[in-house]
Amino acid sequence: MQTLLPLLARGAVLSPFKRPRPDAAFPPNRLVLPGVRIDLARLAAYERACGFPTGGDALPLTYPHVLGFPLAMRIMASRAFPLPLLGLVHTSIEVTRLREPAATGEYELAVHVEGLAPHRRGTEATVVTGARVDGSLVWESRSTYLARHRTAADTRTAADTRTAAGSRTAAGSRTAADALTAADASTAAGARTAAHVSSAEPKPLPVVAEWRLAGDVGRRYAAVSGDRNPIHLHPLTARLFGFPRAIAHGMWTVARCLAEQPADASVHLRAEFRSPVLLPGTVTYAADGGRFELRGGERVHLTGELREHPANSA
């Protein structure tokens, strides 16, 4: 397994010089790695770490992401990539599996940046990874990575707040009756908004299992995936980046949930990483049909849906 530490170090050194924005130029090149064969011992170690059965003929749905991640890191740690690697947050992943990749197969992996897009908290990049057999695509993923920074909306909000404060000062002679009317209107509007949010918020899925996660989950997944980001390894290194304890890899959380989900040969996965999972900790796995989620108390860590790919259902 290729170590990613040199790429992490390079990305960390370059991060302070990056100025992320949605219209920035991004690397147009496509990195390709042909002739990739699976190390079956490492595959078995990955399966055990994530809860998949070992020794199957096909790769777990998430394993090609592990194979392609070093190529993605080469792009994201490069000088040409406009988002800083430090603080970059994996926010979602979509996977389309057209047919099950064999554990004994040979693959051509390719990775490229599809584009940048504005996000309410900054700028998001979409990174595409594909696996081909004899020239035919068998597996593809789209991962989004968020770089947080001040946006135009933040600037407008600050300006609006200053303007509103000035207006309130100038109109300080408003009557008590006017104030009461405004308060009533605000309360009614708030109640309507709360009712709308409540009705729009999906109900929690039924709980299937409770998992107690050990403090070394991040280190064990790092050993089988090659992703040794310091935030996942130890409380001391995680604190350097603002976390009270080490956090689980997002891709471990989705893989652990998928290990409990039956899947067709041709499937589509959509998963969103909503909040970090602190280690050690206790989480609940909930599922209904192809939908699943991971929760810690009232906090949602992960939501996802696994469904049959349309090409397979035709």
Side-chain angles (χ1 to χ4, degrees):
M1 179 74 65
Q2 178 182 344
T3 178
L4 302 180
L5 287 177
L7 293 175
L8 281 170
R10 174 181 171 81
V13 169
L14 293 174
S15 287
F17 303 99
K18 302 292 181 76
R19 297 293 179 266
R21 64 182 196 276
D23 60 348
F26 56 87
N29 55 312
R30 180 171 170 264
L31 298 187
V32 179
L33 182 63
V36 175
R37 288 194 169 275
I38 311 302
D39 183 322
L40 297 181
R42 289 192 179 277
L43 172 60
Y46 173 87
E47 291 168 333
R48 287 192 294 270
C50 299
F52 291 108
T54 59
D57 295 331
L59 299 177
L61 182 59
T62 47
Y63 197 66
H65 173 87
V66 173
L67 298 176
F69 192 60
L71 293 179
M73 279 292 295
R74 279 179 56 187
I75 293 177
M76 293 190 290
S78 70
R79 191 178 300 275
F81 187 69
L83 308 187
L85 190 63
L86 281 183
L88 203 61
V89 180
H90 194 180
T91 51
S92 73
I93 185 169
E94 289 190 41
V95 174
T96 300
R97 184 171 69 187
L98 301 175
R99 59 185 173 92
E100 288 186 316
T104 54
E106 182 176 307
Y107 301 96
E108 177 189 89
L109 301 176
V111 177
H112 70 277
V113 179
E114 188 173 67
L116 304 178
H119 186 280
R120 61 188 177 87
R121 292 184 177 177
T123 299
E124 207 166 49
T126 299
V127 179
V128 179
T129 301
R132 294 178 179 271
V133 175
D134 297 328
S136 297
L137 186 69
V138 297
W139 184 98
E140 187 176 64
S141 74
R142 277 174 169 76
S143 281
T144 56
Y145 296 92
L146 172 66
R148 294 176 175 169
H149 59 85
R150 287 184 63 84
T151 65
D154 294 331
T155 304
R156 286 195 301 271
T157 300
D160 291 345
T161 300
R162 288 194 297 271
T163 301
S167 298
R168 285 195 300 270
T169 301
S173 61
R174 191 172 61 174
T175 66
D178 291 337
L180 182 60
T181 301
D184 290 343
S186 176
T187 301
R192 287 195 299 271
T193 302
H196 174 73
V197 171
S198 177
S199 62
E201 190 72 21
K203 293 181 180 179
L205 299 177
V207 174
V208 176
E210 182 179 89
W211 297 332
R212 294 184 179 181
L213 309 181
D216 66 346
V217 163
R219 293 189 291 276
R220 287 192 283 120
Y221 184 78
V224 300
S225 68
D227 183 357
R228 299 181 184 277
N229 189 319
I231 62 176
H232 304 302
L233 303 182
H234 194 277
L236 292 178
T237 53
R239 287 188 196 117
L240 296 175
F241 299 92
F243 295 99
R245 305 196 299 275
I247 65 172
H249 294 74
M251 286 305 299
W252 179 85
T253 64
V254 71
R256 182 65 189 89
C257 290
L258 290 175
E260 305 295 322
Q261 288 273 332
D264 297 312
S266 179
V267 294
H268 180 82
L269 164 72
R270 166 76 185 179
E272 294 186 1
F273 306 108
R274 305 280 292 275
S275 64
V277 176
L278 295 174
L279 301 171
T282 301
V283 294
T284 55
Y285 163 68
D288 184 17
R291 295 164 56 218
F292 60 90
E293 61 188 19
L294 206 61
R295 289 179 174 268
E298 295 300 313
R299 171 169 287 192
V300 179
H301 298 298
L302 170 75
T303 61
E305 183 176 10
L306 189 66
R307 54 185 171 80
E308 187 178 14
H309 189 258
N312 194 43
S313 57

